[in-house]
Amino acid sequence: MKKKLTFAVIMAIFTTGIVTFAAISVNLGFTAMFIKIWLKSWGISYIVAIPAILIIAPKVQSFVDYIFAESD
């Protein structure tokens, strides 16, 4: 479980950071409030992403295994 939790924490840091940065820069541009808005959005997204990764990742992995089981 430690390995899965560590994976979720690290994956959430990168994915939420990149996605929120891209979305906010496209939608708002680089305004004076950019960093404040981005960090707030990143924090909220991060909190949502960890449980989502822990719940969804195993299901996605099972689905991918199912898809590629026929080709092995």
Side-chain angles (χ1 to χ4, degrees):
M1 185 64 182
K2 284 183 182 181
K3 188 175 178 180
K4 288 182 182 184
L5 185 58
T6 303
F7 174 82
V9 167
I10 294 170
M11 183 59 95
I13 288 169
F14 287 104
T15 56
T16 58
I18 293 166
V19 171
T20 56
F21 183 91
I24 292 169
S25 63
V26 167
N27 289 310
L28 296 178
F30 295 102
T31 65
M33 296 294 293
F34 179 83
I35 295 294
K36 183 178 179 179
I37 294 168
W38 175 48
L39 290 174
K40 180 179 179 183
S41 297
W42 191 356
I44 293 167
S45 299
Y46 181 75
I47 290 168
V48 171
I50 291 176
I53 292 169
L54 289 171
I55 293 167
I56 295 169
K59 295 176 188 325
V60 171
Q61 184 64 57
S62 295
F63 181 63
V64 171
D65 292 343
Y66 171 76
I67 291 171
F68 285 95
E70 297 172 1
S71 64
D72 287 341

